[in-house]
Amino acid sequence: MTSTSLPGGTWTMGDLEVTRFGYGAMQLAGPRVMGPPADRAGALAVLREAVDLGITHIDTSDAYGPYVTNELIREALHPYRQGLRVVTKVGANRDAQGGWPAARDPESLRKQVHENLGRLGLDVLDLVNLRLGNAEGPVEEPVAEAFGTLAELQREGLIRHLGVSNATAGQVAEARAIGPIVCVQNMYNLAHRYDDTLIDELAADGIAYVPFFPLGGFSPLQSSALSAVAGRLGATPMSVALAWLLRRSPNILLIPGTKSVAHLRENIAGAGLELSAADVTELDRIGG
Ligand SMILES: NC(=O)c1ccc[n+]([C@@H]2O[C@H](COP(=O)([O-])OP(=O)(O)OC[C@H]3O[C@@H](n4cnc5c(N)ncnc54)[C@H](OP(=O)(O)O)[C@@H]3O)[C@@H](O)[C@H]2O)c1
């Protein structure tokens, strides 16, 4: 077991031990996750700082940019430090308008896995999430063919572990009936708590839950209760939101995004904030 000074300690996905405080690389690409970053050197610096601070879980996808984020990760971090897990996802492409069209037929999925391997400079991908639904959220539809294709690629030795993303509870169950998953990556934060039951069920089974948009994503979390608790603690709302997630369940892994080294450091410090039972009760009402 590796020790870490990062808040939350570590969690093990399959045989991959990661820091519960991770980093989400999506918004390193240009506006609306399209094209290159305005500050390329700054983007590379954030990635290097994340690893220097001890983060061992970076979330990405070839759809970010497209390709931009994976190229930045490779340039900043390859050859990867021992124990660093670059977690990618497949199942969507990008169109010229910045849309996220589904690409989940077997041929597209195989192509995306090979492209991720090439672009990240890896022989095996540690963890691949099958991204389901659409930009508006999960959609109840069968996943057997797509998840079965990834399970095949796993048997071929190209992927160590699988997860699902933007998934309904029914799709999580359907995928698990085909093969083991080590994580579910869905939208969840203080104000968006649709997955509360799922999180507890996954925790009981030792499966990680990785909330995307932990800080609200493109529209920062805003709530008077959040501001009140933050004000009382002399902390930022972002810090309180991250600390609350770490406390919510031991299987929750954080992947907050930022383009700023200062925000990265602030978020790490903030996630370690101590919340009292009264703070948590007040915060729980936001999403209730
Ligand atoms: N599976 C999926 O379908 C899916 C969908 C969306 C996202 N994701 C993953 O989830 C990760 C996290 O999502 P996200 O980055 O979009 O949203 P997020 O982590 O909820 O929020 C990121 C936003 O918060 C701002 N921020 C971060 N720290 C801050 C601070 N200390 N003070 C003020 N502002 C701060 C960032 O701006 P600055 O850059 O200015 O700090 C950025 O605009 C992504 O990187 C991606 O890997 C997955």
Side-chain angles (χ1 to χ4, degrees), residues 24-27 59-60 64 89 131 165-166 185 212-218 238 255-260 263 266-267:
M26 179 177 87
Q27 293 203 37
D59 185 76
T60 186
Y64 301 160
K89 62 189 80 65
R131 199 266 200 178
S165 175
N166 209 23
Q185 183 179 127
F212 73 74
F213 293 161
L215 299 172
F218 295 104
M238 305 284 180
I255 51 163
T258 180
K259 296 181 175 70
S260 145
H263 285 172
E266 196 178 301
N267 292 344

Side-chain angles (χ1 to χ4, degrees), residues 28 37-48 258-261:
L28 284 183
D39 176 6
R40 186 176 178 83
L44 295 169
V46 172
L47 287 163
R48 292 186 180 121
T258 180
K259 296 181 175 70
S260 145
V261 166

